Amino acid sequence: MLVSLKSVNQYVDIKGLSAEEIADKFTFAGVEVEEIKKLASGTNLVIGEVKECVAHPNSDHLHVLKVDLGPKYGVTQIVCGAPNARAGLRVIVARVGAVLPQIEIKQGIIRGEESNGMCCSLLELGVDAKYLSDYQKAGIEELPADAPVGEENL
């Protein structure tokens, strides 16, 4: 049987415990844990808030975003092709230097506009498509409005 830590947390307070520590506690309680799987992975990730979203001047489908990454990183510019990009959205941002399952994020120029990171979909973070809705597959992940901007523990 597969059990998510989010489900376990609905019944037991597991804050401050790693997945390995929780697995050990299950095992000592008599419930065998065969493996621990991460649904997503990535380094150098932070929650950002899109402050501005304008059409890219040299593209019919790209946007130029101003994204607030919190007090530690400030506001940065990111070129994004997601159809659901818009001002006010809270998103997962892979900063320059981030390593995702299939790509390393680098600073670049996209059709003449500077881009300092990437707004991520869950697919890009390695979540299997079978767990996602068609809407999630088509664009960047939309976080709740109360997601803490600047949070790095994703």
Side-chain angles (χ1 to χ4, degrees):
M1 174 170 68
L2 298 176
V3 179
S4 74
L5 290 181
K6 186 174 181 180
S7 296
V8 172
N9 195 45
Q10 291 177 342
Y11 301 102
V12 182
D13 183 13
I14 57 173
K15 290 181 184 132
L17 296 175
S18 70
E20 291 76 15
E21 291 170 322
I22 295 166
D24 286 342
K25 291 186 181 296
F26 270 112
T27 300
F28 288 125
V31 178
E32 181 182 358
V33 176
E34 288 184 22
E35 69 178 324
I36 299 170
K37 290 173 54 174
K38 293 188 180 227
L39 292 178
S41 65
T43 63
N44 215 7
L45 302 174
V46 65
I47 295 176
E49 179 179 11
V50 179
K51 292 295 189 180
E52 181 182 305
C53 176
V54 297
H56 191 295
N58 300 315
S59 172
D60 61 351
H61 71 283
L62 295 174
H63 301 92
V64 179
L65 310 178
K66 298 288 185 200
V67 183
D68 181 3
L69 303 179
K72 185 174 179 181
Y73 301 113
V75 177
T76 192
Q77 180 170 295
I78 297 174
V79 175
C80 179
N84 61 331
R86 63 187 181 279
L89 193 61
R90 302 266 169 119
V91 296
I92 301 169
V93 176
R95 297 180 52 250
V96 172
V99 178
L100 305 182
Q102 297 184 5
I103 190 172
E104 181 176 344
I105 304 303
K106 297 178 182 174
Q107 182 180 19
I109 305 292
I110 300 175
R111 294 195 183 183
E113 294 292 328
E114 184 177 355
S115 186
N116 300 300
M118 181 173 92
C119 296
C120 299
S121 72
L122 293 181
L123 280 175
E124 291 160 333
L125 296 174
V127 175
D128 193 315
K130 69 182 178 183
Y131 298 117
L132 304 175
S133 68
D134 289 338
Y135 186 77
Q136 288 175 303
K137 292 176 200 173
I140 54 179
E141 183 63 15
E142 298 184 17
L143 299 177
D146 62 351
V149 173
E151 177 65 42
E152 296 177 275
N153 185 15
L154 301 177

PDB file of all heavy atoms in Angstrom, residues 47-48 90-91 143-151:
ATOM      1  N   ILE A  47       9.550  29.591  -3.337  1.00  0.00           N
ATOM      2  CA  ILE A  47       8.202  30.047  -3.694  1.00  0.00           C
ATOM      3  C   ILE A  47       8.276  31.518  -4.079  1.00  0.00           C
ATOM      4  O   ILE A  47       8.850  32.330  -3.353  1.00  0.00           O
ATOM      5  CB  ILE A  47       7.210  29.855  -2.533  1.00  0.00           C
ATOM      6  CG1 ILE A  47       7.031  28.363  -2.246  1.00  0.00           C
ATOM      7  CG2 ILE A  47       5.860  30.508  -2.861  1.00  0.00           C
ATOM      8  CD1 ILE A  47       6.154  28.069  -1.050  1.00  0.00           C
ATOM      9  N   GLY A  48       7.715  31.832  -5.236  1.00  0.00           N
ATOM     10  CA  GLY A  48       7.704  33.209  -5.710  1.00  0.00           C
ATOM     11  C   GLY A  48       6.291  33.675  -6.010  1.00  0.00           C
ATOM     12  O   GLY A  48       5.377  32.870  -6.162  1.00  0.00           O
ATOM     13  N   ARG A  90       1.127  32.559  -7.169  1.00  0.00           N
ATOM     14  CA  ARG A  90       2.249  32.028  -6.390  1.00  0.00           C
ATOM     15  C   ARG A  90       2.725  30.767  -7.095  1.00  0.00           C
ATOM     16  O   ARG A  90       1.916  29.905  -7.452  1.00  0.00           O
ATOM     17  CB  ARG A  90       1.825  31.710  -4.960  1.00  0.00           C
ATOM     18  CG  ARG A  90       1.248  32.907  -4.199  1.00  0.00           C
ATOM     19  CD  ARG A  90       2.288  33.623  -3.390  1.00  0.00           C
ATOM     20  NE  ARG A  90       1.785  34.883  -2.878  1.00  0.00           N
ATOM     21  CZ  ARG A  90       1.685  35.167  -1.594  1.00  0.00           C
ATOM     22  NH1 ARG A  90       2.025  34.276  -0.686  1.00  0.00           N
ATOM     23  NH2 ARG A  90       1.265  36.352  -1.216  1.00  0.00           N
ATOM     24  N   VAL A  91       4.046  30.682  -7.302  1.00  0.00           N
ATOM     25  CA  VAL A  91       4.610  29.615  -8.122  1.00  0.00           C
ATOM     26  C   VAL A  91       5.885  29.046  -7.497  1.00  0.00           C
ATOM     27  O   VAL A  91       6.490  29.656  -6.620  1.00  0.00           O
ATOM     28  CB  VAL A  91       4.951  30.130  -9.546  1.00  0.00           C
ATOM     29  CG1 VAL A  91       3.698  30.554 -10.294  1.00  0.00           C
ATOM     30  CG2 VAL A  91       5.947  31.272  -9.499  1.00  0.00           C
ATOM     31  N   LEU A 143       0.248  27.622  -6.808  1.00  0.00           N
ATOM     32  CA  LEU A 143       0.246  27.372  -5.376  1.00  0.00           C
ATOM     33  C   LEU A 143      -0.876  28.167  -4.709  1.00  0.00           C
ATOM     34  O   LEU A 143      -1.372  29.149  -5.272  1.00  0.00           O
ATOM     35  CB  LEU A 143       1.597  27.764  -4.777  1.00  0.00           C
ATOM     36  CG  LEU A 143       2.809  26.999  -5.326  1.00  0.00           C
ATOM     37  CD1 LEU A 143       4.093  27.541  -4.705  1.00  0.00           C
ATOM     38  CD2 LEU A 143       2.677  25.512  -5.073  1.00  0.00           C
ATOM     39  N   PRO A 144      -1.281  27.776  -3.493  1.00  0.00           N
ATOM     40  CA  PRO A 144      -2.310  28.536  -2.782  1.00  0.00           C
ATOM     41  C   PRO A 144      -1.885  29.987  -2.550  1.00  0.00           C
ATOM     42  O   PRO A 144      -0.682  30.286  -2.447  1.00  0.00           O
ATOM     43  CB  PRO A 144      -2.439  27.800  -1.437  1.00  0.00           C
ATOM     44  CG  PRO A 144      -1.846  26.457  -1.660  1.00  0.00           C
ATOM     45  CD  PRO A 144      -0.825  26.611  -2.750  1.00  0.00           C
ATOM     46  N   ALA A 145      -2.846  30.873  -2.459  1.00  0.00           N
ATOM     47  CA  ALA A 145      -2.575  32.301  -2.289  1.00  0.00           C
ATOM     48  C   ALA A 145      -1.818  32.604  -1.001  1.00  0.00           C
ATOM     49  O   ALA A 145      -1.164  33.639  -0.895  1.00  0.00           O
ATOM     50  CB  ALA A 145      -3.879  33.087  -2.324  1.00  0.00           C
ATOM     51  N   ASP A 146      -1.898  31.703  -0.014  1.00  0.00           N
ATOM     52  CA  ASP A 146      -1.195  31.933   1.254  1.00  0.00           C
ATOM     53  C   ASP A 146       0.166  31.234   1.318  1.00  0.00           C
ATOM     54  O   ASP A 146       0.805  31.206   2.356  1.00  0.00           O
ATOM     55  CB  ASP A 146      -2.059  31.511   2.442  1.00  0.00           C
ATOM     56  CG  ASP A 146      -2.391  30.020   2.439  1.00  0.00           C
ATOM     57  OD1 ASP A 146      -2.107  29.320   1.435  1.00  0.00           O
ATOM     58  OD2 ASP A 146      -2.942  29.549   3.463  1.00  0.00           O
ATOM     59  N   ALA A 147       0.636  30.671   0.187  1.00  0.00           N
ATOM     60  CA  ALA A 147       1.962  30.056   0.159  1.00  0.00           C
ATOM     61  C   ALA A 147       2.992  31.135   0.489  1.00  0.00           C
ATOM     62  O   ALA A 147       2.960  32.219  -0.076  1.00  0.00           O
ATOM     63  CB  ALA A 147       2.239  29.450  -1.212  1.00  0.00           C
ATOM     64  N   PRO A 148       3.912  30.861   1.429  1.00  0.00           N
ATOM     65  CA  PRO A 148       4.841  31.896   1.886  1.00  0.00           C
ATOM     66  C   PRO A 148       5.934  32.227   0.861  1.00  0.00           C
ATOM     67  O   PRO A 148       6.801  31.411   0.584  1.00  0.00           O
ATOM     68  CB  PRO A 148       5.446  31.308   3.167  1.00  0.00           C
ATOM     69  CG  PRO A 148       5.272  29.827   3.029  1.00  0.00           C
ATOM     70  CD  PRO A 148       4.055  29.614   2.167  1.00  0.00           C
ATOM     71  N   VAL A 149       5.879  33.433   0.323  1.00  0.00           N
ATOM     72  CA  VAL A 149       6.866  33.901  -0.656  1.00  0.00           C
ATOM     73  C   VAL A 149       8.251  33.871  -0.007  1.00  0.00           C
ATOM     74  O   VAL A 149       8.426  34.336   1.122  1.00  0.00           O
ATOM     75  CB  VAL A 149       6.532  35.315  -1.160  1.00  0.00           C
ATOM     76  CG1 VAL A 149       7.640  35.867  -2.029  1.00  0.00           C
ATOM     77  CG2 VAL A 149       5.210  35.299  -1.907  1.00  0.00           C
ATOM     78  N   GLY A 150       9.216  33.288  -0.715  1.00  0.00           N
ATOM     79  CA  GLY A 150      10.577  33.181  -0.206  1.00  0.00           C
ATOM     80  C   GLY A 150      10.874  31.862   0.478  1.00  0.00           C
ATOM     81  O   GLY A 150      12.035  31.565   0.772  1.00  0.00           O
ATOM     82  N   GLU A 151       9.854  31.057   0.729  1.00  0.00           N
ATOM     83  CA  GLU A 151      10.045  29.755   1.384  1.00  0.00           C
ATOM     84  C   GLU A 151      10.872  28.839   0.490  1.00  0.00           C
ATOM     85  O   GLU A 151      10.576  28.679  -0.686  1.00  0.00           O
ATOM     86  CB  GLU A 151       8.701  29.112   1.701  1.00  0.00           C
ATOM     87  CG  GLU A 151       8.793  27.741   2.318  1.00  0.00           C
ATOM     88  CD  GLU A 151       9.439  27.735   3.688  1.00  0.00           C
ATOM     89  OE1 GLU A 151       9.135  28.632   4.503  1.00  0.00           O
ATOM     90  OE2 GLU A 151      10.254  26.838   3.947  1.00  0.00           O
TER      91      GLU A 151
END
